[in-house]
Amino acid sequence: MTGFLPDEPSAEVRVSPNFGPRRDAQKPDMIVLHYTGMASGTGAEAWLCDPASEVSSHYLVHENGHIVQMVRESDRAWHAGQSSWFGRTDINSCSVGIEIVNPGHSLGYPGFPKRQITAVVELCKGIAARHAIGAERVLAHSDVAPGRKIDPGEKFPWAALFKAGVGHLVPAAPVRRGAALKPGDRGADVETLQSMLSLYGYGVEISGVFDDRTRVVVEAFQRHFRPRRIDGVADGSTMRTLQKLLASVRN
């Protein structure tokens, strides 16, 4: 493919060879947000378009708000890797991936510029409108790949997106001292925690045992919805925030 008309009118097209058809005639029903985790936006853009990388994304949003589309929304980009949501494991076939230029945790992890976030908001709105994607299905890479990925990270301004009409969020419950569920715990309370996380979409087994998988899923939840403290411990704030989030999901 040498070119295509962009799905997002404001986007520049730079075709990546790293794509294929969506499997089983799936259509996108979620948006997955990433950060690039590289030293520069130009380097990230080149990598996503390099056949040797075997990775791609539908879109890249530079720090100045410039949007580049590399894969058509109708095609399957290679951005999510090993991941799951509501038991579905081929997230690439049911999602649109957006890479947001940011060097990430290993390279200083700066904040996200306002112009960049404004562009991300408008891009998400356009994608959601084209594919009827619900607010609760605008997700972080860390949500669908907990423990393996931590992007776009705790500095990503989910609240700004939500205020602009993108994504699903509730005010995080205050962090206070008190009882908490932690690795090694067992019993009905752990089973309730796992059930609530699973009901929201996270890939966790409902076993009643607070194992390492439960810990990394709790961390992923905190990173997106309660970023003040990310420790994998299900304290009262984490539990109350999760309860409020579930109660606010569209019926």
Side-chain angles (χ1 to χ4, degrees):
M1 181 188 298
T2 58
F4 55 82
L5 292 175
D7 294 291
E8 183 65 27
S10 63
E12 172 195 359
V13 172
R14 178 176 178 181
V15 178
S16 173
N18 304 328
F19 72 94
R22 294 185 182 273
R23 294 171 182 164
D24 301 320
Q26 292 186 66
K27 298 185 183 299
D29 63 9
M30 68 173 68
I31 298 170
V32 178
L33 303 184
H34 310 248
Y35 65 37
T36 52
M38 295 181 67
S40 72
T42 54
E45 185 177 326
W47 181 244
L48 292 165
C49 293
D50 185 341
S53 74
E54 297 186 339
V55 294
S56 63
S57 187
H58 293 91
Y59 293 97
L60 176 83
V61 182
H62 285 278
E63 289 129 317
N64 65 0
H66 181 59
I67 299 171
V68 178
Q69 183 170 4
M70 294 166 284
V71 176
R72 295 177 300 186
E73 291 176 11
S74 58
D75 287 322
R76 180 181 183 272
W78 304 342
H79 62 97
Q82 184 179 353
S83 51
S84 70
W85 195 251
F86 275 115
R88 295 165 73 179
T89 55
D90 184 6
I91 298 301
N92 284 338
S93 283
C94 62
S95 66
V96 174
I98 301 175
E99 289 278 357
I100 302 163
V101 172
N102 185 292
H105 290 76
S106 63
L107 294 171
Y109 193 35
F112 295 82
K114 185 176 180 180
R115 286 186 297 175
Q116 185 181 44
I117 295 305
T118 298
V120 170
V121 165
E122 294 308 310
L123 177 57
C124 287
K125 284 182 174 179
I127 296 167
R130 284 189 286 276
H131 302 286
I133 295 173
E136 66 277 7
R137 296 183 74 83
V138 180
L139 300 167
H141 197 190
S142 54
D143 290 321
V144 300
R148 191 175 68 83
K149 294 294 181 179
I150 58 174
D151 59 307
E154 62 278 3
K155 289 185 180 179
F156 187 73
W158 292 104
L161 269 68
F162 182 69
K163 185 177 180 180
V166 172
H168 184 213
L169 204 66
V170 295
V175 177
R176 296 175 180 149
R177 292 182 180 179
L181 297 172
K182 58 189 183 303
D185 287 347
R186 296 170 177 264
D189 289 343
V190 175
E191 186 174 332
T192 296
L193 166 67
Q194 293 168 332
S195 296
M196 290 194 299
L197 289 166
S198 180
L199 277 171
Y200 196 72
Y202 287 97
V204 60
E205 182 183 357
I206 303 169
S207 64
V209 178
F210 201 123
D211 54 10
D212 191 60
R213 177 63 180 180
T214 302
R215 178 187 61 80
V216 297
V217 170
V218 170
E219 283 186 357
F221 174 82
Q222 291 170 334
R223 186 166 278 112
H224 186 159
F225 297 104
R226 209 289 306 271
R228 182 175 174 183
R229 182 185 295 169
I230 303 164
D231 56 8
V233 172
D235 58 4
S237 168
T238 299
M239 295 292 284
R240 289 191 299 273
T241 304
L242 178 53
Q243 288 165 349
K244 290 195 295 181
L245 198 69
L246 281 169
S248 66
V249 173
R250 294 186 313 171
N251 294 321

